[in-house]
Amino acid sequence: MNEHDDGEESFAEETLIQAIENQIESESPAAARAVFNKLTLVGYEREEALHLMALVLAHEIQAMLRDERPFDGAWYEQALRALPELPGEE
């Protein structure tokens, strides 16, 4: 992996984390704040909790692109609520 790939990856992750922070702040979806609170309550650091939530968002975005379909809000909320278990680990 070259430096360009590393930069793109960290930019993508920062963008996802920013999106998660916006969801928590706006409580849209409502599950975002609830899940963030749950993760921090059970001992996850703020950054760890945001990272886990960003992984769920990334998973849904990849599925959208792969399947050429709209964002599945119901699946996304369900997957958030399943954290710290990640999609595909069940």
Side-chain angles (χ1 to χ4, degrees):
M1 185 182 284
N2 64 35
E3 284 179 34
H4 182 68
D5 289 342
D6 284 347
E8 277 182 24
E9 204 169 287
S10 83
F11 174 77
E13 187 172 349
E14 284 172 29
T15 303
L16 289 169
I17 299 275
Q18 184 66 55
I20 296 295
E21 287 176 327
N22 291 343
Q23 290 177 3
I24 292 167
E25 209 171 290
S26 66
E27 295 188 34
S28 178
R33 176 166 295 212
V35 169
F36 179 76
N37 290 343
K38 176 186 93 169
L39 290 171
T40 53
L41 199 64
V42 298
Y44 283 87
E45 293 293 323
R46 181 176 189 281
E47 286 70 27
E48 287 177 300
L50 292 171
H51 179 74
L52 284 171
M53 294 173 74
L55 288 173
V56 173
L57 182 56
H59 187 278
E60 173 56 15
I61 290 169
Q62 286 172 337
M64 281 172 57
L65 296 172
R66 182 188 65 235
D67 302 339
E68 298 180 2
R69 61 163 175 78
F71 188 80
D72 186 342
W75 179 91
Y76 178 63
E77 271 198 55
Q78 188 180 350
L80 280 179
R81 291 185 187 279
L83 285 172
E85 190 174 290
L86 289 166
E89 285 188 350
E90 57 280 339

